[in-house]
Amino acid sequence: DGVANMEEVKHEMTRLQMASFDVKELFMLIDFNVNGTVSVDDFIEGLLRVAPGPASKKELMGVQYDLHRMWNMLGAGQERLQHNIEESLDERVRVLETNIQSFFKDLEVQIKLLLEQRLESLHKTVADGHGTILSSVESTSCATQSTVLKSIEASSGSITSIVLKSIEEIGLTT
């Protein structure tokens, strides 16, 4: 009919010379689908596998089948795990590449702004210097003024060309 309680199962196991097994351990071993229940057929098959004495060819084939099935399950699990890891890494690399590209674009904008500020400051400094020189030249003779003005124009063009050339060399435009 069935088993009324665990004591009855323990008594029958002792009668079958299987007392060394804990009943819970036995059920865990023969609960093949791990659903917490054991069918009558699974119970009988499990008892035959743990019964004292040499294993039959059928029992050995059953163990071999179980091992093969477990090996295949492990392989499939490993493949899924590897696939998931690769997908995760690919996504992280894409995010990292996007962040790096964004960082360099922001950096380029900041460098351009800084260069524009420095260039404006340089232009202002040169203009202020020219103004100072012009005011001091005004107090000198006409011949000296002409020579100084030509010198200022030449230096102004030279400074501007040096700054523009430097900007072109680093690949930025104003």
Side-chain angles (χ1 to χ4, degrees), residues 60-161:
L60 290 175
M61 286 178 58
V63 169
Q64 183 180 11
Y65 170 78
D66 289 344
L67 286 174
H68 183 68
R69 189 179 66 184
M70 289 171 59
W71 182 261
N72 288 340
M73 287 172 36
L74 284 172
Q78 184 179 7
E79 288 174 6
R80 281 193 309 272
L81 181 62
Q82 184 176 354
H83 176 74
N84 290 344
I85 288 172
E86 287 173 356
E87 279 185 348
S88 176
L89 286 176
D90 287 346
E91 178 60 26
R92 288 180 182 195
V93 166
R94 281 191 293 276
V95 168
L96 187 59
E97 286 174 343
T98 301
N99 289 343
I100 289 172
Q101 288 173 351
S102 175
F103 170 77
F104 280 114
K105 285 179 183 177
D106 291 345
L107 183 62
E108 182 179 3
V109 168
Q110 290 176 4
I111 289 172
K112 284 181 179 181
L113 288 174
L114 183 62
L115 280 175
E116 287 175 4
Q117 291 171 353
R118 296 283 170 104
L119 186 58
E120 286 176 20
S121 174
L122 182 61
H123 279 293
K124 184 178 183 309
T125 302
V126 170
D128 290 347
H130 286 179
T132 303
I133 293 171
L134 286 176
S135 63
S136 66
V137 168
E138 288 174 355
S139 62
T140 62
S141 70
C142 284
T144 306
Q145 287 179 359
S146 176
T147 306
V148 170
L149 287 175
K150 287 180 184 176
S151 173
I152 290 172
E153 287 175 1
S155 68
S156 175
S158 174
I159 290 172
T160 303
S161 67

Side-chain angles (χ1 to χ4, degrees), residues 17 48-56 59:
Q17 300 174 352
L48 289 174
R49 286 189 179 182
V50 296
S56 69
E59 291 169 339

Side-chain angles (χ1 to χ4, degrees), residues 6 13 20-31:
M6 291 288 215
M13 287 178 56
S20 63
F21 277 99
D22 181 33
V23 174
K24 288 182 183 180
E25 182 181 347
L26 176 65
F27 273 90
M28 285 177 33
L29 288 173
I30 60 179
D31 183 13

Side-chain angles (χ1 to χ4, degrees), residues 30 32 38-49 58:
I30 60 179
F32 299 116
V38 176
S39 69
V40 174
D41 290 338
D42 287 344
F43 183 73
I44 292 169
E45 186 178 333
L47 285 178
L48 289 174
R49 286 189 179 182
K58 180 181 176 187

